[in-house]
Each structure stands twice: as C-alpha cells, then as structure tokens.
Amino acid sequence: MRACVLLATLAAGSGWRLKVDRTIDASKSIVRTVTLVSAENDGDATDELLWAVPESNMTSIAKLKLSQKTDGTGKDGKPLYAEIPTTEARREGGVVYFNAKLRAAVPKGETVEIRSRMSQGGALRPLPPQVRQAETMSVDYNHNVYFLSPYPCVLQKTVFQMGSPKVHSYTEEPAPVKKEGKALTFGPYRDVAPLSAAPLRVHYENNAPFIKAASVRRVMEVSQWGNLAVEEWYEIENVGAALKGTFSRVDYEKMGSKAPAAFANLDAELPAGAEDIYFRDDIGNISTSEIRAPQKGKKVVRFKQRFPLFGGWKTRFYYGYNQPLAQVMTTNGETHRLRVPYVTAVDHMFINDFTVEVVLPEGVPAPSVTIAGRPVTDFEVGVRKSYLDTQGRTLVTIRDTMLDARERTEMLEVTFAAAPLLWEPCLIMGACMAVLCTIIAFGRLAG
C-alpha cells in the first residue's frame, strides 16, 4: 500500500489535472465503458500519462483502447481520435498501471483529450442466481463510483445506462445521484483525490442474452477460382440466471416461443455478397434461419436454434457462406491483400478463446498480417493439404483471447505473393494438355 501511495504522489506531482466524463453501458451482457478525459498539464512537458485499472478487472476485460483527439473531424462533424500505444507499467496495491504514450509532448498549461473504450465480460452477476422459466432476470453490478486515476480530478461524472427502467436498488451516496428513465447519473463530483474509491452498486432487471463463447474457430479459405469460403464453429453457453425447476415446452409455446431469461435466436451481420449460407449443429442442417435484405453493406441473418438456451445450458453449432473474392481482395503489382473483419459476426457475444485460420493458395510463402493496422508477428504458419495439391496450402493461424464480438470494425489484413494463385489453374491446364497430346499422339500412331 505504501508503494501505491508513493506512486500516486509521484503521479500527482507530474502536474496532470483531469476532467472526466464516463459512460457505463450495462444494457447488455457485456459492459462497455467509454471515458472522455481532458487532462491539463500543470508540470513539466511530458508525452506520457498513467492509466489505472483495478487488478480484479483484468480477467474480465475484453478490450482496453486509448485514443487521443486529433485536429481533424469525420464526415459526421465529430472529432477524430487516433489510437495511442499503451504498455503495462506495474501492478501495485491492487491496481494495474498502464503507460500511455501521447502523440507529442504536452507543454505546461496545455490540455490533451483522451478517450478510453473498455469492454468487460462477466462484470454482471445474476441475482437471484436462479429464475423460473417465466420469470425475468435481474443482475447486480459493482464498481467504483469514482474514476480510478493516480491524478487528481477537478471534475468528474459517471452515467450508468441500463436496458430497463426497473431498478431494485442502487447506490445513493456520495451525492448527487439522479435516476432518469434507464439511466443513473453519479456526480458531478469536484476535487476528487488520486485513487479515490467508493462503492457503486446497481441491482436492476436485464433480460439481454448472456452469451459466452468458450471457443470460436473461424476458417477462411482463399480459392484460386475467385471465391472466399468462410466457416465459423461455436461452443456457446448462456451464463445468465440458471433455470429453476424443469423446462416445459407447453408453457414455452404458450408464451409465444419466448422466455425472458433465455434466447433461441442469434443475429449475425454477414457481408452483403454472402451466398450459399448454411447453419448446422451436431444433428445436422437447421433450415429455420431468416435472411434480411442487405442494408448498409450488410446482410443480417437470424439463426434459429432447435431449442431455447437457458442459464447454464450449452450448445455447439457452425455456419458458413461463400463470398466473391473480388469484394475482399485487392491486387497491387505482385502482391494480393485480403481484407476481412477480424472478429466474428455474431453480436453481443463474449469470446474466451478465438482462433482464425486463413487458408491461402498452394505455394504462397509466409505472408504478412496486420490487425486494425497493427503488425502481427505471433501467428503460426503451417500447411493444409487438399484436393489437387502437390505441396499443400499455406495455413495462417492466429490465436486470441477475451474478445467482444461487437468490435467488428477491426480489420484483418493478410498480404501475400500473387504468382502462386495461378498454380492450380496451370496444373489443371497442363494435365488437360498432356491428356490431349497423348490422345493425338496415339491417334497418329494408330493411323
């Protein structure tokens, strides 16, 4: 604890003074927090800033991304933010400190705007832990009412968003705390000391699907014939309130095939060019899916499972589709670049173990890989043999953990040599030519 206090003293001495506006969206199963920080440097010029996260949250964080406001604006007129690198500095006193590298040194008296995005899975605890088939589900959320920081906060406010206005109880101190519709506002609080803490607890109704994927395996196969074949395998569980008693199919049908604490449908956003879509489980093909007309470059598919998934229930399934390769691949000279979304298409899912396999044409040397513009070096390169192969196709495997399936804006780019794309077509043409030449030769010899 002395080390933590010492670190806070040093951080406060660096001169940063913060104004914080934090929004915690707990309307779904994954808690997504957006924090806007205006940091004024009241000390020596520096290009570094410490960011604090409770150590107890590290096992549930799917994503922590810090961005710095730029001078530009987007098409909607909103300011643009550029991601800044963060590295873990140390762990002391139950707090993990990250060192954020700013885009440039900030002189004394100047202000920098920082935006943080954080996704957490498992932050909401079902309370009660069991509900009957027709009962709604409530969850309990515990956090710090103050924004945890090693710097003093001149002003801070937290807005807690829920998916339902039904709140059983919530923290009312420190004041002011205001409830309005589906939101609770804590603060504004003035002159908050570094590393201040006070309990924030909200007990409210939340019937969103609590989908947790133990594993997701995504396979994308690049064909020399102009097609991209995509297949995704899932092992999921409903981690919401467990079913109390037995399941009644009769009661379920009487309620219009609905149960508040269960889900039977999964929505996925596929590319507008997706074709030959299929959905299967261990038994076989499931033909009760719905495909909506493409909107904004996406084709929304609702996969309907064979049975509703209540708390504690698990299932396995996979789906796939084909997509024209021209929609996701570009050519520049002697290289091809495959550009596809990195995270899976199923919404509101927290993923424990995530594997992406990209099968490239035969003979392709080790490619280069980037995710959201960041180079990736810890991927595996192997070989997968298929039909018409002589050496086997190049297999790129990327493994990841703790992902929020909603973050589909991050793009996976795989760059590889263009020449091997013609290997199999040339092989088939050569074989056909050899057969024809043989027939011609035998015909002449026979004549």
Side-chain angles (χ1 to χ4, degrees), residues 223-254:
S223 170
Q224 294 93 332
W225 309 101
N227 182 67
L228 177 69
V230 181
E231 194 167 79
E232 299 189 6
W233 298 70
Y234 293 81
E235 293 185 14
I236 67 171
E237 176 185 3
N238 185 343
V239 292
L243 177 63
K244 186 176 183 180
T246 58
F247 169 65
S248 171
R249 172 66 70 172
V250 175
D251 293 341
Y252 181 70
E253 295 297 334
K254 286 181 179 179

PDB file of all heavy atoms in Angstrom, residues 223-254:
ATOM      1  N   SER A 223      -9.692 -19.219 -52.571  1.00  0.00           N
ATOM      2  CA  SER A 223      -9.652 -20.111 -53.727  1.00  0.00           C
ATOM      3  C   SER A 223      -9.052 -19.394 -54.924  1.00  0.00           C
ATOM      4  O   SER A 223      -9.255 -18.187 -55.113  1.00  0.00           O
ATOM      5  CB  SER A 223     -11.060 -20.600 -54.064  1.00  0.00           C
ATOM      6  OG  SER A 223     -11.068 -21.282 -55.304  1.00  0.00           O
ATOM      7  N   GLN A 224      -8.320 -20.170 -55.749  1.00  0.00           N
ATOM      8  CA  GLN A 224      -7.773 -19.593 -56.977  1.00  0.00           C
ATOM      9  C   GLN A 224      -8.864 -19.280 -57.985  1.00  0.00           C
ATOM     10  O   GLN A 224      -8.627 -18.573 -58.961  1.00  0.00           O
ATOM     11  CB  GLN A 224      -6.778 -20.570 -57.629  1.00  0.00           C
ATOM     12  CG  GLN A 224      -5.526 -20.808 -56.799  1.00  0.00           C
ATOM     13  CD  GLN A 224      -5.657 -22.014 -55.900  1.00  0.00           C
ATOM     14  OE1 GLN A 224      -6.753 -22.373 -55.482  1.00  0.00           O
ATOM     15  NE2 GLN A 224      -4.542 -22.654 -55.590  1.00  0.00           N
ATOM     16  N   TRP A 225     -10.072 -19.783 -57.732  1.00  0.00           N
ATOM     17  CA  TRP A 225     -11.156 -19.627 -58.684  1.00  0.00           C
ATOM     18  C   TRP A 225     -12.061 -18.448 -58.336  1.00  0.00           C
ATOM     19  O   TRP A 225     -13.205 -18.384 -58.788  1.00  0.00           O
ATOM     20  CB  TRP A 225     -11.955 -20.918 -58.760  1.00  0.00           C
ATOM     21  CG  TRP A 225     -11.070 -22.108 -58.983  1.00  0.00           C
ATOM     22  CD1 TRP A 225     -10.657 -23.003 -58.051  1.00  0.00           C
ATOM     23  CD2 TRP A 225     -10.452 -22.496 -60.209  1.00  0.00           C
ATOM     24  NE1 TRP A 225      -9.835 -23.930 -58.604  1.00  0.00           N
ATOM     25  CE2 TRP A 225      -9.685 -23.650 -59.934  1.00  0.00           C
ATOM     26  CE3 TRP A 225     -10.474 -21.989 -61.516  1.00  0.00           C
ATOM     27  CZ2 TRP A 225      -8.944 -24.298 -60.924  1.00  0.00           C
ATOM     28  CZ3 TRP A 225      -9.729 -22.642 -62.489  1.00  0.00           C
ATOM     29  CH2 TRP A 225      -8.981 -23.781 -62.194  1.00  0.00           C
ATOM     30  N   GLY A 226     -11.564 -17.539 -57.511  1.00  0.00           N
ATOM     31  CA  GLY A 226     -12.294 -16.300 -57.254  1.00  0.00           C
ATOM     32  C   GLY A 226     -13.324 -16.378 -56.158  1.00  0.00           C
ATOM     33  O   GLY A 226     -14.304 -15.620 -56.178  1.00  0.00           O
ATOM     34  N   ASN A 227     -13.142 -17.274 -55.185  1.00  0.00           N
ATOM     35  CA  ASN A 227     -14.136 -17.430 -54.115  1.00  0.00           C
ATOM     36  C   ASN A 227     -13.453 -17.437 -52.753  1.00  0.00           C
ATOM     37  O   ASN A 227     -12.333 -17.927 -52.595  1.00  0.00           O
ATOM     38  CB  ASN A 227     -14.913 -18.731 -54.302  1.00  0.00           C
ATOM     39  CG  ASN A 227     -15.988 -18.914 -53.248  1.00  0.00           C
ATOM     40  OD1 ASN A 227     -16.967 -18.171 -53.215  1.00  0.00           O
ATOM     41  ND2 ASN A 227     -15.805 -19.886 -52.364  1.00  0.00           N
ATOM     42  N   LEU A 228     -14.154 -16.861 -51.755  1.00  0.00           N
ATOM     43  CA  LEU A 228     -13.714 -16.945 -50.367  1.00  0.00           C
ATOM     44  C   LEU A 228     -14.760 -17.746 -49.600  1.00  0.00           C
ATOM     45  O   LEU A 228     -15.922 -17.324 -49.485  1.00  0.00           O
ATOM     46  CB  LEU A 228     -13.570 -15.549 -49.742  1.00  0.00           C
ATOM     47  CG  LEU A 228     -13.181 -15.524 -48.260  1.00  0.00           C
ATOM     48  CD1 LEU A 228     -11.737 -16.007 -48.084  1.00  0.00           C
ATOM     49  CD2 LEU A 228     -13.346 -14.133 -47.662  1.00  0.00           C
ATOM     50  N   ALA A 229     -14.363 -18.899 -49.080  1.00  0.00           N
ATOM     51  CA  ALA A 229     -15.264 -19.754 -48.301  1.00  0.00           C
ATOM     52  C   ALA A 229     -15.005 -19.520 -46.818  1.00  0.00           C
ATOM     53  O   ALA A 229     -13.868 -19.639 -46.353  1.00  0.00           O
ATOM     54  CB  ALA A 229     -15.043 -21.218 -48.651  1.00  0.00           C
ATOM     55  N   VAL A 230     -16.068 -19.150 -46.093  1.00  0.00           N
ATOM     56  CA  VAL A 230     -15.953 -18.838 -44.665  1.00  0.00           C
ATOM     57  C   VAL A 230     -16.799 -19.819 -43.865  1.00  0.00           C
ATOM     58  O   VAL A 230     -17.950 -20.095 -44.217  1.00  0.00           O
ATOM     59  CB  VAL A 230     -16.416 -17.394 -44.372  1.00  0.00           C
ATOM     60  CG1 VAL A 230     -16.274 -17.073 -42.876  1.00  0.00           C
ATOM     61  CG2 VAL A 230     -15.624 -16.397 -45.200  1.00  0.00           C
ATOM     62  N   GLU A 231     -16.217 -20.346 -42.791  1.00  0.00           N
ATOM     63  CA  GLU A 231     -16.951 -21.236 -41.891  1.00  0.00           C
ATOM     64  C   GLU A 231     -16.545 -20.926 -40.457  1.00  0.00           C
ATOM     65  O   GLU A 231     -15.348 -20.773 -40.172  1.00  0.00           O
ATOM     66  CB  GLU A 231     -16.660 -22.693 -42.229  1.00  0.00           C
ATOM     67  CG  GLU A 231     -17.613 -23.677 -41.576  1.00  0.00           C
ATOM     68  CD  GLU A 231     -17.513 -25.078 -42.176  1.00  0.00           C
ATOM     69  OE1 GLU A 231     -16.564 -25.803 -41.816  1.00  0.00           O
ATOM     70  OE2 GLU A 231     -18.375 -25.429 -43.005  1.00  0.00           O
ATOM     71  N   GLU A 232     -17.533 -20.825 -39.565  1.00  0.00           N
ATOM     72  CA  GLU A 232     -17.272 -20.475 -38.166  1.00  0.00           C
ATOM     73  C   GLU A 232     -17.909 -21.511 -37.251  1.00  0.00           C
ATOM     74  O   GLU A 232     -19.085 -21.837 -37.397  1.00  0.00           O
ATOM     75  CB  GLU A 232     -17.817 -19.074 -37.856  1.00  0.00           C
ATOM     76  CG  GLU A 232     -17.183 -17.976 -38.690  1.00  0.00           C
ATOM     77  CD  GLU A 232     -17.556 -16.586 -38.234  1.00  0.00           C
ATOM     78  OE1 GLU A 232     -18.219 -16.469 -37.187  1.00  0.00           O
ATOM     79  OE2 GLU A 232     -17.187 -15.608 -38.922  1.00  0.00           O
ATOM     80  N   TRP A 233     -17.117 -21.999 -36.289  1.00  0.00           N
ATOM     81  CA  TRP A 233     -17.547 -23.031 -35.341  1.00  0.00           C
ATOM     82  C   TRP A 233     -17.639 -22.415 -33.947  1.00  0.00           C
ATOM     83  O   TRP A 233     -16.726 -21.707 -33.505  1.00  0.00           O
ATOM     84  CB  TRP A 233     -16.548 -24.179 -35.330  1.00  0.00           C
ATOM     85  CG  TRP A 233     -16.408 -24.873 -36.647  1.00  0.00           C
ATOM     86  CD1 TRP A 233     -15.835 -24.385 -37.788  1.00  0.00           C
ATOM     87  CD2 TRP A 233     -16.866 -26.188 -36.978  1.00  0.00           C
ATOM     88  NE1 TRP A 233     -15.893 -25.300 -38.801  1.00  0.00           N
ATOM     89  CE2 TRP A 233     -16.518 -26.426 -38.335  1.00  0.00           C
ATOM     90  CE3 TRP A 233     -17.517 -27.186 -36.258  1.00  0.00           C
ATOM     91  CZ2 TRP A 233     -16.813 -27.614 -38.982  1.00  0.00           C
ATOM     92  CZ3 TRP A 233     -17.802 -28.378 -36.896  1.00  0.00           C
ATOM     93  CH2 TRP A 233     -17.466 -28.590 -38.244  1.00  0.00           C
ATOM     94  N   TYR A 234     -18.741 -22.714 -33.245  1.00  0.00           N
ATOM     95  CA  TYR A 234     -19.007 -22.102 -31.949  1.00  0.00           C
ATOM     96  C   TYR A 234     -19.302 -23.151 -30.878  1.00  0.00           C
ATOM     97  O   TYR A 234     -19.970 -24.160 -31.156  1.00  0.00           O
ATOM     98  CB  TYR A 234     -20.219 -21.174 -32.020  1.00  0.00           C
ATOM     99  CG  TYR A 234     -20.020 -19.935 -32.864  1.00  0.00           C
ATOM    100  CD1 TYR A 234     -20.149 -19.983 -34.241  1.00  0.00           C
ATOM    101  CD2 TYR A 234     -19.720 -18.714 -32.274  1.00  0.00           C
ATOM    102  CE1 TYR A 234     -19.984 -18.857 -35.023  1.00  0.00           C
ATOM    103  CE2 TYR A 234     -19.554 -17.577 -33.053  1.00  0.00           C
ATOM    104  CZ  TYR A 234     -19.686 -17.656 -34.421  1.00  0.00           C
ATOM    105  OH  TYR A 234     -19.515 -16.538 -35.180  1.00  0.00           O
ATOM    106  N   GLU A 235     -18.824 -22.888 -29.679  1.00  0.00           N
ATOM    107  CA  GLU A 235     -19.250 -23.587 -28.464  1.00  0.00           C
ATOM    108  C   GLU A 235     -19.693 -22.501 -27.489  1.00  0.00           C
ATOM    109  O   GLU A 235     -18.858 -21.788 -26.936  1.00  0.00           O
ATOM    110  CB  GLU A 235     -18.127 -24.426 -27.863  1.00  0.00           C
ATOM    111  CG  GLU A 235     -17.704 -25.611 -28.703  1.00  0.00           C
ATOM    112  CD  GLU A 235     -16.672 -26.474 -28.003  1.00  0.00           C
ATOM    113  OE1 GLU A 235     -16.482 -26.297 -26.785  1.00  0.00           O
ATOM    114  OE2 GLU A 235     -16.056 -27.314 -28.690  1.00  0.00           O
ATOM    115  N   ILE A 236     -21.017 -22.355 -27.299  1.00  0.00           N
ATOM    116  CA  ILE A 236     -21.524 -21.245 -26.506  1.00  0.00           C
ATOM    117  C   ILE A 236     -22.303 -21.744 -25.298  1.00  0.00           C
ATOM    118  O   ILE A 236     -22.739 -22.894 -25.234  1.00  0.00           O
ATOM    119  CB  ILE A 236     -22.414 -20.306 -27.348  1.00  0.00           C
ATOM    120  CG1 ILE A 236     -23.707 -21.010 -27.762  1.00  0.00           C
ATOM    121  CG2 ILE A 236     -21.663 -19.794 -28.553  1.00  0.00           C
ATOM    122  CD1 ILE A 236     -24.714 -20.081 -28.413  1.00  0.00           C
ATOM    123  N   GLU A 237     -22.489 -20.822 -24.336  1.00  0.00           N
ATOM    124  CA  GLU A 237     -23.221 -21.113 -23.101  1.00  0.00           C
ATOM    125  C   GLU A 237     -23.992 -19.863 -22.690  1.00  0.00           C
ATOM    126  O   GLU A 237     -23.517 -18.739 -22.876  1.00  0.00           O
ATOM    127  CB  GLU A 237     -22.253 -21.523 -21.994  1.00  0.00           C
ATOM    128  CG  GLU A 237     -22.913 -21.762 -20.643  1.00  0.00           C
ATOM    129  CD  GLU A 237     -21.917 -22.047 -19.538  1.00  0.00           C
ATOM    130  OE1 GLU A 237     -20.704 -22.012 -19.809  1.00  0.00           O
ATOM    131  OE2 GLU A 237     -22.358 -22.299 -18.406  1.00  0.00           O
ATOM    132  N   ASN A 238     -25.171 -20.078 -22.133  1.00  0.00           N
ATOM    133  CA  ASN A 238     -25.915 -18.982 -21.525  1.00  0.00           C
ATOM    134  C   ASN A 238     -25.421 -18.858 -20.086  1.00  0.00           C
ATOM    135  O   ASN A 238     -25.658 -19.740 -19.254  1.00  0.00           O
ATOM    136  CB  ASN A 238     -27.417 -19.267 -21.558  1.00  0.00           C
ATOM    137  CG  ASN A 238     -28.240 -18.101 -21.043  1.00  0.00           C
ATOM    138  OD1 ASN A 238     -27.741 -17.193 -20.365  1.00  0.00           O
ATOM    139  ND2 ASN A 238     -29.525 -18.105 -21.346  1.00  0.00           N
ATOM    140  N   VAL A 239     -24.726 -17.757 -19.770  1.00  0.00           N
ATOM    141  CA  VAL A 239     -24.155 -17.562 -18.435  1.00  0.00           C
ATOM    142  C   VAL A 239     -25.040 -16.659 -17.585  1.00  0.00           C
ATOM    143  O   VAL A 239     -24.595 -16.119 -16.576  1.00  0.00           O
ATOM    144  CB  VAL A 239     -22.726 -16.979 -18.531  1.00  0.00           C
ATOM    145  CG1 VAL A 239     -21.774 -17.981 -19.129  1.00  0.00           C
ATOM    146  CG2 VAL A 239     -22.721 -15.685 -19.332  1.00  0.00           C
ATOM    147  N   GLY A 240     -26.306 -16.521 -17.987  1.00  0.00           N
ATOM    148  CA  GLY A 240     -27.260 -15.761 -17.187  1.00  0.00           C
ATOM    149  C   GLY A 240     -27.797 -16.602 -16.046  1.00  0.00           C
ATOM    150  O   GLY A 240     -27.224 -17.642 -15.672  1.00  0.00           O
ATOM    151  N   ALA A 241     -28.899 -16.160 -15.452  1.00  0.00           N
ATOM    152  CA  ALA A 241     -29.500 -16.879 -14.322  1.00  0.00           C
ATOM    153  C   ALA A 241     -29.914 -18.282 -14.754  1.00  0.00           C
ATOM    154  O   ALA A 241     -30.533 -18.472 -15.806  1.00  0.00           O
ATOM    155  CB  ALA A 241     -30.710 -16.101 -13.804  1.00  0.00           C
ATOM    156  N   ALA A 242     -29.567 -19.277 -13.933  1.00  0.00           N
ATOM    157  CA  ALA A 242     -29.870 -20.670 -14.251  1.00  0.00           C
ATOM    158  C   ALA A 242     -31.369 -20.934 -14.137  1.00  0.00           C
ATOM    159  O   ALA A 242     -32.088 -20.253 -13.394  1.00  0.00           O
ATOM    160  CB  ALA A 242     -29.094 -21.600 -13.324  1.00  0.00           C
ATOM    161  N   LEU A 243     -31.821 -21.933 -14.888  1.00  0.00           N
ATOM    162  CA  LEU A 243     -33.235 -22.303 -14.873  1.00  0.00           C
ATOM    163  C   LEU A 243     -33.563 -23.034 -13.569  1.00  0.00           C
ATOM    164  O   LEU A 243     -32.925 -24.017 -13.219  1.00  0.00           O
ATOM    165  CB  LEU A 243     -33.562 -23.193 -16.074  1.00  0.00           C
ATOM    166  CG  LEU A 243     -34.995 -23.712 -16.153  1.00  0.00           C
ATOM    167  CD1 LEU A 243     -35.980 -22.557 -16.296  1.00  0.00           C
ATOM    168  CD2 LEU A 243     -35.136 -24.697 -17.313  1.00  0.00           C
ATOM    169  N   LYS A 244     -34.567 -22.519 -12.874  1.00  0.00           N
ATOM    170  CA  LYS A 244     -35.022 -23.133 -11.628  1.00  0.00           C
ATOM    171  C   LYS A 244     -36.209 -24.047 -11.938  1.00  0.00           C
ATOM    172  O   LYS A 244     -37.215 -23.598 -12.481  1.00  0.00           O
ATOM    173  CB  LYS A 244     -35.431 -22.048 -10.629  1.00  0.00           C
ATOM    174  CG  LYS A 244     -35.776 -22.574  -9.244  1.00  0.00           C
ATOM    175  CD  LYS A 244     -36.081 -21.411  -8.304  1.00  0.00           C
ATOM    176  CE  LYS A 244     -36.366 -21.893  -6.892  1.00  0.00           C
ATOM    177  NZ  LYS A 244     -36.659 -20.754  -5.979  1.00  0.00           N
ATOM    178  N   GLY A 245     -36.091 -25.319 -11.616  1.00  0.00           N
ATOM    179  CA  GLY A 245     -37.128 -26.277 -11.955  1.00  0.00           C
ATOM    180  C   GLY A 245     -36.875 -26.890 -13.315  1.00  0.00           C
ATOM    181  O   GLY A 245     -35.748 -26.861 -13.841  1.00  0.00           O
ATOM    182  N   THR A 246     -37.918 -27.432 -13.934  1.00  0.00           N
ATOM    183  CA  THR A 246     -37.785 -28.100 -15.221  1.00  0.00           C
ATOM    184  C   THR A 246     -38.332 -27.226 -16.341  1.00  0.00           C
ATOM    185  O   THR A 246     -39.116 -26.310 -16.121  1.00  0.00           O
ATOM    186  CB  THR A 246     -38.558 -29.441 -15.212  1.00  0.00           C
ATOM    187  OG1 THR A 246     -39.931 -29.185 -14.915  1.00  0.00           O
ATOM    188  CG2 THR A 246     -37.970 -30.379 -14.167  1.00  0.00           C
ATOM    189  N   PHE A 247     -37.892 -27.549 -17.545  1.00  0.00           N
ATOM    190  CA  PHE A 247     -38.339 -26.809 -18.723  1.00  0.00           C
ATOM    191  C   PHE A 247     -39.625 -27.435 -19.262  1.00  0.00           C
ATOM    192  O   PHE A 247     -39.722 -28.655 -19.422  1.00  0.00           O
ATOM    193  CB  PHE A 247     -37.259 -26.841 -19.797  1.00  0.00           C
ATOM    194  CG  PHE A 247     -37.715 -26.341 -21.139  1.00  0.00           C
ATOM    195  CD1 PHE A 247     -38.099 -25.017 -21.309  1.00  0.00           C
ATOM    196  CD2 PHE A 247     -37.778 -27.197 -22.237  1.00  0.00           C
ATOM    197  CE1 PHE A 247     -38.519 -24.553 -22.545  1.00  0.00           C
ATOM    198  CE2 PHE A 247     -38.201 -26.742 -23.471  1.00  0.00           C
ATOM    199  CZ  PHE A 247     -38.574 -25.417 -23.621  1.00  0.00           C
ATOM    200  N   SER A 248     -40.614 -26.588 -19.536  1.00  0.00           N
ATOM    201  CA  SER A 248     -41.887 -27.041 -20.091  1.00  0.00           C
ATOM    202  C   SER A 248     -42.035 -26.493 -21.501  1.00  0.00           C
ATOM    203  O   SER A 248     -42.154 -25.279 -21.699  1.00  0.00           O
ATOM    204  CB  SER A 248     -43.059 -26.572 -19.211  1.00  0.00           C
ATOM    205  OG  SER A 248     -44.291 -26.820 -19.846  1.00  0.00           O
ATOM    206  N   ARG A 249     -42.055 -27.389 -22.480  1.00  0.00           N
ATOM    207  CA  ARG A 249     -42.246 -26.970 -23.861  1.00  0.00           C
ATOM    208  C   ARG A 249     -43.643 -26.398 -24.076  1.00  0.00           C
ATOM    209  O   ARG A 249     -43.834 -25.454 -24.843  1.00  0.00           O
ATOM    210  CB  ARG A 249     -41.995 -28.157 -24.788  1.00  0.00           C
ATOM    211  CG  ARG A 249     -42.334 -27.924 -26.245  1.00  0.00           C
ATOM    212  CD  ARG A 249     -41.424 -26.876 -26.884  1.00  0.00           C
ATOM    213  NE  ARG A 249     -40.075 -27.344 -27.051  1.00  0.00           N
ATOM    214  CZ  ARG A 249     -39.138 -26.672 -27.726  1.00  0.00           C
ATOM    215  NH1 ARG A 249     -39.442 -25.482 -28.250  1.00  0.00           N
ATOM    216  NH2 ARG A 249     -37.910 -27.136 -27.826  1.00  0.00           N
ATOM    217  N   VAL A 250     -44.633 -26.931 -23.363  1.00  0.00           N
ATOM    218  CA  VAL A 250     -46.001 -26.446 -23.491  1.00  0.00           C
ATOM    219  C   VAL A 250     -46.102 -24.993 -23.037  1.00  0.00           C
ATOM    220  O   VAL A 250     -46.655 -24.131 -23.730  1.00  0.00           O
ATOM    221  CB  VAL A 250     -46.982 -27.333 -22.695  1.00  0.00           C
ATOM    222  CG1 VAL A 250     -48.391 -26.742 -22.739  1.00  0.00           C
ATOM    223  CG2 VAL A 250     -46.979 -28.751 -23.242  1.00  0.00           C
ATOM    224  N   ASP A 251     -45.548 -24.707 -21.845  1.00  0.00           N
ATOM    225  CA  ASP A 251     -45.571 -23.329 -21.348  1.00  0.00           C
ATOM    226  C   ASP A 251     -44.768 -22.404 -22.260  1.00  0.00           C
ATOM    227  O   ASP A 251     -45.136 -21.237 -22.452  1.00  0.00           O
ATOM    228  CB  ASP A 251     -45.009 -23.278 -19.930  1.00  0.00           C
ATOM    229  CG  ASP A 251     -45.899 -23.996 -18.925  1.00  0.00           C
ATOM    230  OD1 ASP A 251     -47.094 -24.199 -19.241  1.00  0.00           O
ATOM    231  OD2 ASP A 251     -45.404 -24.366 -17.846  1.00  0.00           O
ATOM    232  N   TYR A 252     -43.708 -22.926 -22.810  1.00  0.00           N
ATOM    233  CA  TYR A 252     -42.872 -22.124 -23.699  1.00  0.00           C
ATOM    234  C   TYR A 252     -43.651 -21.724 -24.948  1.00  0.00           C
ATOM    235  O   TYR A 252     -43.583 -20.572 -25.405  1.00  0.00           O
ATOM    236  CB  TYR A 252     -41.623 -22.924 -24.079  1.00  0.00           C
ATOM    237  CG  TYR A 252     -40.658 -22.189 -24.975  1.00  0.00           C
ATOM    238  CD1 TYR A 252     -39.905 -21.116 -24.504  1.00  0.00           C
ATOM    239  CD2 TYR A 252     -40.493 -22.571 -26.308  1.00  0.00           C
ATOM    240  CE1 TYR A 252     -39.018 -20.449 -25.332  1.00  0.00           C
ATOM    241  CE2 TYR A 252     -39.607 -21.911 -27.134  1.00  0.00           C
ATOM    242  CZ  TYR A 252     -38.867 -20.851 -26.645  1.00  0.00           C
ATOM    243  OH  TYR A 252     -37.989 -20.183 -27.466  1.00  0.00           O
ATOM    244  N   GLU A 253     -44.425 -22.654 -25.518  1.00  0.00           N
ATOM    245  CA  GLU A 253     -45.225 -22.341 -26.699  1.00  0.00           C
ATOM    246  C   GLU A 253     -46.371 -21.396 -26.351  1.00  0.00           C
ATOM    247  O   GLU A 253     -46.748 -20.539 -27.156  1.00  0.00           O
ATOM    248  CB  GLU A 253     -45.776 -23.632 -27.316  1.00  0.00           C
ATOM    249  CG  GLU A 253     -44.706 -24.572 -27.864  1.00  0.00           C
ATOM    250  CD  GLU A 253     -43.919 -23.954 -28.998  1.00  0.00           C
ATOM    251  OE1 GLU A 253     -44.470 -23.066 -29.685  1.00  0.00           O
ATOM    252  OE2 GLU A 253     -42.746 -24.349 -29.205  1.00  0.00           O
ATOM    253  N   LYS A 254     -46.930 -21.530 -25.148  1.00  0.00           N
ATOM    254  CA  LYS A 254     -48.000 -20.628 -24.728  1.00  0.00           C
ATOM    255  C   LYS A 254     -47.515 -19.190 -24.631  1.00  0.00           C
ATOM    256  O   LYS A 254     -48.286 -18.250 -24.823  1.00  0.00           O
ATOM    257  CB  LYS A 254     -48.561 -21.075 -23.381  1.00  0.00           C
ATOM    258  CG  LYS A 254     -49.437 -22.328 -23.440  1.00  0.00           C
ATOM    259  CD  LYS A 254     -49.971 -22.665 -22.065  1.00  0.00           C
ATOM    260  CE  LYS A 254     -50.870 -23.894 -22.099  1.00  0.00           C
ATOM    261  NZ  LYS A 254     -51.386 -24.245 -20.750  1.00  0.00           N
TER     262      LYS A 254
END
